[in-house]
Amino acid sequence: MYLYWRINNDLNAMGERIVFHDPRFIRCFGQWMRKNSYSLALAEGWFDLDFSVSLN
């Protein structure tokens, strides 16, 4: 599913849109996106993790 997500992002960057028609694929892709939502948000740069050392 990661491959399809990357293709979709690359097409979005070019202003294109991909439409999936297979209901089984749409369901599985949605489940995969929900399962990996945190990792996808990190990949998109929506979260900035700061692993700096705290002296407290």
Side-chain angles (χ1 to χ4, degrees):
M1 290 294 164
Y2 176 75
L3 177 65
Y4 293 107
W5 177 77
R6 284 298 309 243
I7 291 169
N8 192 20
N9 280 357
D10 291 343
L11 288 173
N12 283 339
M14 294 187 296
E16 298 292 328
R17 185 169 177 231
I18 190 169
V19 178
F20 300 113
H21 296 286
D22 185 10
R24 293 174 295 173
F25 179 79
I26 294 169
R27 180 180 39 111
C28 290
F29 190 68
Q31 289 173 348
W32 179 84
M33 293 214 23
R34 281 189 294 279
K35 178 183 171 190
N36 296 297
S37 61
Y38 185 72
S39 300
L40 295 174
L42 286 175
E44 289 292 325
W46 293 340
F47 295 121
D48 185 23
L49 296 179
D50 184 17
F51 291 113
S52 61
V53 176
S54 175
L55 298 176
N56 292 336

